[in-house]
Amino acid sequence: MSTIGADQRLTKTDQLREHLSTLVGERLCPGDRLPTERELADEFGVSRLTVRRALDRLESERLVYRVQGAGTFASRRPITKTIEFTSFSEDMRSRGLSPGSRLLDAVETPAGARIGYALAISPADPVFRVRRVRTADDAPMCLETSHVPLALAPGLLDLPLEGSLYSLLETRFRIRLVRADQVIRATVLDPEEAELLQAMPLSPALLVERTAYDQRGRAVEVAKSLYRGDRYSYEIAIERTS
């Protein structure tokens, strides 16, 4: 049995957290399951409460994630995004990662009430709907669904859609997206989403809903991006005004 207590300056929780942090960083691969709370308590001679506190700290540091009924798993290195209007491809490249996409489907469809309202077009007007799995260094990062009015980008579906959609709109249609209205919500992955993102069902996720506008003030894209919660976070800088 391993023991905790060599460094009396640290609490047992702190010492166990350091042990587990080393385990996650050096011996486990992303997605590998950690031993159970009972196994860790027996191995290190501590209470399950101490184990739970140590795991809570690792989870808050985004080194592990928990799935109800399945256990605790090692996370990939998390990616933090600042609140700036950039494309997914720009985000990944700025962090030294290679962006990519796997196209799920690309179709022409009526806008419908919700998308039509956001794009300021009739619900009957056609839009392009593009669904992709976005990747970073070939690892799935998010599910992205974009809607673009057909009238603004005729022939879009005939073009390669594996790269940046924003770059494609700018180079082929002279549409430069300059601002967006965005809503971020916490959610969990359903089984289909989890399979596409190579994550566990019911694991945490961030749902980002966005309406993007071009240099002329036109609504050009309505998008929904579902990010793996263990790999992605948003960073917001705020200032006091008084």
Side-chain angles (χ1 to χ4, degrees):
M1 180 178 72
S2 302
T3 58
I4 292 293
D7 189 344
Q8 299 302 321
R9 295 170 299 177
L10 300 176
T11 66
K12 288 185 177 181
T13 298
D14 290 332
Q15 292 177 59
L16 180 57
R17 180 222 158 269
E18 289 192 358
H19 277 276
L20 295 179
S21 178
T22 301
L23 174 68
V24 170
E26 298 181 1
R27 294 173 53 189
L28 296 183
C29 295
D32 284 352
R33 190 171 69 86
L34 275 70
T36 66
E37 289 183 4
R38 176 173 293 177
E39 290 170 340
L40 290 170
D42 290 344
E43 179 180 357
F44 292 102
V46 296
S47 69
R48 292 184 65 176
L49 178 59
T50 296
V51 172
R52 195 169 298 122
R53 286 172 175 167
L55 291 175
D56 285 344
R57 294 185 186 180
L58 290 177
E59 187 175 30
S60 69
E61 295 166 3
R62 305 177 69 81
L63 295 176
V64 301
Y65 64 95
R66 286 159 160 161
V67 178
Q68 183 72 29
T72 304
F73 300 83
S75 299
R76 287 184 180 271
R77 178 169 62 90
I79 295 171
T80 301
K81 174 179 170 54
T82 57
I83 301 299
E84 298 174 0
F85 183 40
T86 56
S87 70
F88 178 88
S89 297
E90 291 169 332
D91 282 346
M92 298 304 106
R93 291 194 186 103
S94 70
R95 289 157 177 78
L97 302 173
S98 177
S101 297
R102 178 163 65 88
L103 184 64
L104 298 176
D105 61 66
V107 298
E108 179 184 326
T109 184
R114 184 180 67 85
I115 301 298
Y117 177 80
L119 292 172
I121 60 177
S122 166
D125 285 347
V127 297
F128 295 128
R129 187 191 70 202
V130 180
R131 296 177 64 240
R132 303 181 292 176
V133 177
R134 306 307 306 273
T135 61
D137 283 352
D138 297 323
M141 180 69 68
C142 82
L143 297 177
E144 182 181 81
T145 303
S146 296
H147 298 83
V148 177
L150 182 149
L152 294 182
L156 176 65
L157 299 189
D158 297 326
L159 300 174
L161 298 170
E162 290 75 23
S164 170
L165 179 62
Y166 289 2
S167 178
L168 193 62
L169 289 171
E170 184 167 0
T171 57
R172 298 301 293 266
F173 302 101
R174 298 184 179 180
I175 295 173
R176 184 167 60 88
L177 299 179
V178 297
R179 72 174 184 88
D181 296 329
Q182 193 159 269
V183 176
I184 305 171
R185 296 186 178 92
T187 186
V188 296
L189 299 175
D190 67 27
E192 179 184 0
E193 295 163 344
E195 182 178 3
L196 289 170
L197 291 176
Q198 297 178 13
M200 295 293 295
L202 301 181
S203 58
L206 288 175
L207 176 62
V208 181
E209 296 175 306
R210 178 180 64 251
T211 302
Y213 301 85
D214 70 359
Q215 69 274 27
R216 295 168 56 183
R218 299 177 299 183
V220 172
E221 180 207 33
V222 171
K224 181 175 72 172
S225 299
L226 187 64
Y227 290 90
R228 287 182 52 152
D230 62 317
R231 294 221 57 202
Y232 210 81
S233 65
Y234 274 79
E235 182 178 282
I236 303 174
I238 59 176
E239 295 182 5
R240 294 186 61 180
T241 58
S242 60

